[in-house]
């Protein structure tokens, strides 16, 4: 066994034999036995997996949590309720349309000259004057005064992708100037008069709405009874108690189904349109603001209960007089954070205050960053975003410079010069519902009569008119199937893979293993450190003895000169020396060389084993 251990390529067995000291020998025995046990265990697992022929099939039916569905009317506020606040603005807008395009209620469409427009007392055109440009030049005509003037400032062409096929003289826009420095101006032109009038109207509209209290705006918008006619979920009837009101600055009162505010999140165990959310919405097209919105219907967004519904960014529009079916596929995604990507787990490491009181997302960060920059630069908050602490919404009575400041700041934001895109990061985990939309005519021609009569009867307690199909929208939101798709990122290089690659390279080129590495550590680190420490100890001891001798004045004794140190008992080899190692042992001083002793010839002398000769031998001798 000893010969095998000395001549084998198995490092552990060899180290057991050649190690000096009981402690080292015990440690190598423990390491070798542990390695053998691991090898046997892993080989047994490999053999069991290799010869295993079983097949495992798992069938699982699970419920999926139903997402929150937020529904808003495209028209944010009832026009009949808002007329008192918007009467002056609407009057000036109609005058601008009549002057520029010849629109007049009850009159022929004959274009009037700007000089015929009596605009005395028009505060809206004083704040943001509408201008008509000639041949894309910097010469413009003020629609309020009718005077031509040279326009200075940077020119920004809004919606320039729209090609204007009409007369170039019909290009209009408006000019925004710094209230503190009239030479600092920006000119915004539009290739479509519709877009120019709408943009001009929205600026004044936001300025008016910013001065109305929130409680008043909630009363001016649609209630749940106004918006919802019928509701079904998972085959069961539902009502307004299953919806939570959510006020959006640009869309008025919105209503979220399955918001989870009461701590309960609804789920569904079956896919298909019959087991999702089915609602019939009352749009009331006749009460729409004609200058604020140009389409009819509703907007919805599907989102998680902890996410903020950015209805203005990613909302899906629902048509009237149609049944809109939205099928969903649920996907849960998970990204690795640093050092694999630059995403954030909770947004706590982002130096931007979350103004939405919802879980972090990239959109929340960008909007919050812009609103913070708006408050810092312009002194007030933009109307479409939540209010930061201690701020108030902009209006040109208190902040006459806010429109110019807002457009300048928004320009920097779009060009990524504000720094928000560099600060904000993607969320590491998020949920997504992929939507597939299909539309069908609703109600059908043969069923239109009786359905409208029944719905009018159901709604008749609140309105005194027969419903029209253009006032209604049918919406269905459902899971197409209950397959949850999970996308996760896994590191391509882990510690196990790294060690395996190192082991493969060491084993392929140097026939080295973990035991070999431990052996290298033992020899080059532990033994080297032990030798250095022992020599330092001997030097220190010699220096101390010399110092004591110098103080006492005694001459060094012969025994002290010969005493140079002692061996570590742990490292003493207890095995007996072999013949070859014995020849290499040093000879003692003052001792003669050993000689080969002469042979003891007396041992070669034959001695008789018997004192007397036997009788039979005597007879043979006589013969």
């Amino acid at each position: 066994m000893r010969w095998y251990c000395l001549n084998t390529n198995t490092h552990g067995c060899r180290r057991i034999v050649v190690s000096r000291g009981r402690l080292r020998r015990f440690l190598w025995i423990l390491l070798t036995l542990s390695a053998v046990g691991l090898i046997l265990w892993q080989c047994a697992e490999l053999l069991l997996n290799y010869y295993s022929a079983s097949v495992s099939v798992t069938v699982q039916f699970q419920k999926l949590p139903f997402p929150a569905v937020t529904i808003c009317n495209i028209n944010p506020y009832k026009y009949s309720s808002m007329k008192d606040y918007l009467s002056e603005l609407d009057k000036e807008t109609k005058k601008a349309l009549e002057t520029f395009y010849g629109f007049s209620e009850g009159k022929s469409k004959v274009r009037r000259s700007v000089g015929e427009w009596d605009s005395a007392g028009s505060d809206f055109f004083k704040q943001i004057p509408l201008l008509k440009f000639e041949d894309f030049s910097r010469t413009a005509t003020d629609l309020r005064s009718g005077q031509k003037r040279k326009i200075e400032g940077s020119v920004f062409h809004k919606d320039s992708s729209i090609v204007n096929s009409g007369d170039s003289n019909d290009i209009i826009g408006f000019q925004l100037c710094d209230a503190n420095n009239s030479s600092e101006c920006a000119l915004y032109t539009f290739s479509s008069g519709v877009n120019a009038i709408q943009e001009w109207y929205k600026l004044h509209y936001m300025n008016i709405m910013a001065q109305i209290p929130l409680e008043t705006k909630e009363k001016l918008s649609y209630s749940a009874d106004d918006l919802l006619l019928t509701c079904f979920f998972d085959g069961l009837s539902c009502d307004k108690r299953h919806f939570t009101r959510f006020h959006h600055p640009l869309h008025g009162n919105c209503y979220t189904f399955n918001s989870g505010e009461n701590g309960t999140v609804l789920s569904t165990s079956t896919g298909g349109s019959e087991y999702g959310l089915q609602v019939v919405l009352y749009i009331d097209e006749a009460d729409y603001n004609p200058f604020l919105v140009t389409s009819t219907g509703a907007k919805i967004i599907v989102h998680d209960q902890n996410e903020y519904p950015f209805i203005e960014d990613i909302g899906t529009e629902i048509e009237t007089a149609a049944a809109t079916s939205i099928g969903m596929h649920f996907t849960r995604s998970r990204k690795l954070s640093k050092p694999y990507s630059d995403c954030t787990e909770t947004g706590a490491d982002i130096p931007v205050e979350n103004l939405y009181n919802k879980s972090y997302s990239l959109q929340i960060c960008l909007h919050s960053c812009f609103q913070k920059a708006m408050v810092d630069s312009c002194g007030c908050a933009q109307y479409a975003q939540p209010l930061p602490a201690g701020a108030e919404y902009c209006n040109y009575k208190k902040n006459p410079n806010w429109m110019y400041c807002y457009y300048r700041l928004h320009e920097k934001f779009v060009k990524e010069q504000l720094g928000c895109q560099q600060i904000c990061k993607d969320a590491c985990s998020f949920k997504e519902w992929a939507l597939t939309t299909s539309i069908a005519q609703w109600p059908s021609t043969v069923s239109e009569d009786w359905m409208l009569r029944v719905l009018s009867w159901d709604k008749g307690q609140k309105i005194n008119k027969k419903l029209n199909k253009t006032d209604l929208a049918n919406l269905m939101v459902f899971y197409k199937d209950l397959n949850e798709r999970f996308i996760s990122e896994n590191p391509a290089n882990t510690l196990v893979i790294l060690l395996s690659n190192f082991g493969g390279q060491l084993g392929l080129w140097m026939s080295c293993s973990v035991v070999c590495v431990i052996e290298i550590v033992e020899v080059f680190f532990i033994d080297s450190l032990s030798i250095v420490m022992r020599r330092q100890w001997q030097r220190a001891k010699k220096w101390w003895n010399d110092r004591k001798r110098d103080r006492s004045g005694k001459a060094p004794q012969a025994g002290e000169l010969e005493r140079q140190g002692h061996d570590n008992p742990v490292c003493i080899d207890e095995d007996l020396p072999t013949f070859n190692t014995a020849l290499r042992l040093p000879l003692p001083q003052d001792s003669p060389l050993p000689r080969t002793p002469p042979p003891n010839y007396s041992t070669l002398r034959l001695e008789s084993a018997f004192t007397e000769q036997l009788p039979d031998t005597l007879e043979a001798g006589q013969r």
Side-chain angles (χ1 to χ4, degrees), residues 204-462:
H204 294 294
Y205 170 82
M206 289 191 296
N207 186 79
I208 293 172
M209 298 305 298
Q211 304 175 56
I212 302 176
L214 177 60
E215 295 78 7
T216 304
K217 288 187 288 188
E218 290 178 347
K219 295 178 181 179
L220 296 173
S221 187
Y222 298 90
S223 65
D225 292 328
D226 295 332
L227 184 63
L228 303 172
L229 284 179
T230 63
C231 175
F232 287 92
F233 175 73
D234 206 9
L236 300 177
S237 178
C238 54
D239 53 28
K240 64 179 182 180
R241 293 174 296 179
H242 296 85
F243 290 82
T244 304
R245 186 176 63 184
F246 154 70
H247 188 82
H248 193 279
L250 298 180
H251 292 277
N253 288 344
C254 300
Y255 295 90
T256 302
F257 176 79
N258 194 29
S259 64
E261 282 194 355
N262 56 358
T264 303
V265 177
L266 300 176
S267 60
T268 180
S269 58
T270 308
S273 59
E274 295 182 0
Y275 300 95
L277 174 65
Q278 303 180 34
V279 291
V280 175
L281 305 175
Y282 178 59
I283 303 302
D284 195 10
E285 182 183 8
D287 212 5
Y288 267 41
N289 188 326
F291 306 114
L292 184 64
V293 293
T294 55
S295 57
T296 305
K299 264 193 171 184
I300 77 153
I301 182 173
V302 177
H303 58 95
D304 185 66
Q305 281 75 18
N306 295 322
E307 294 179 358
Y308 182 84
F310 286 97
I311 194 77
E312 72 279 13
D313 294 336
I314 55 177
T316 302
E317 293 188 351
I318 305 301
E319 295 184 19
T320 57
T324 304
S325 298
I326 300 179
M328 302 182 298
H329 286 288
F330 180 48
T331 302
R332 192 192 307 267
S333 300
R334 172 72 183 176
K335 296 172 62 177
L336 292 174
S337 57
K338 290 183 178 180
Y340 302 100
S341 68
D342 199 27
C343 67
T344 178
E345 293 288 348
T346 61
D349 55 333
I350 305 297
V352 177
E353 181 186 1
N354 188 340
L355 301 178
Y356 291 83
N357 296 323
K358 293 288 185 178
S359 59
Y360 175 86
S361 67
L362 179 60
Q363 283 180 302
I364 283 180
C365 181
L366 292 175
H367 285 289
S368 300
C369 179
F370 179 81
Q371 186 73 304
K372 183 65 167 57
M374 182 78 182
V375 174
D376 294 339
S377 302
C378 307
C380 57
Q382 202 261 346
Y383 176 69
Q385 315 286 340
L387 271 176
E392 60 180 10
Y393 286 127
C394 297
N395 66 84
Y396 46 62
K397 290 184 178 179
K398 294 183 178 180
N399 314 97
N401 199 38
W402 81 267
M403 293 186 185
Y404 175 79
C405 181
Y406 165 72
Y407 270 90
R408 282 295 189 183
L409 203 65
H410 190 265
E411 176 193 352
K412 292 182 180 180
F413 178 79
V414 173
K415 294 182 178 179
E416 299 186 5
Q417 298 175 357
L418 206 57
C420 295
Q421 287 82 356
Q422 290 74 25
I423 297 175
C424 296
K425 304 175 183 178
D426 288 323
C428 291
S429 59
F430 54 92
K431 300 175 182 179
E432 182 181 7
W433 284 267
L435 307 181
T436 303
T437 305
S438 60
I439 300 175
Q441 181 183 351
W442 180 89
S444 62
T445 305
V446 295
S447 61
E448 176 180 346
D449 184 62
W450 73 266
M451 286 191 65
L452 293 179
R453 287 177 181 271
V454 172
L455 292 175
S456 298
W457 184 84
D458 293 338
K459 195 73 174 176
Q461 297 178 357
K462 299 182 179 62

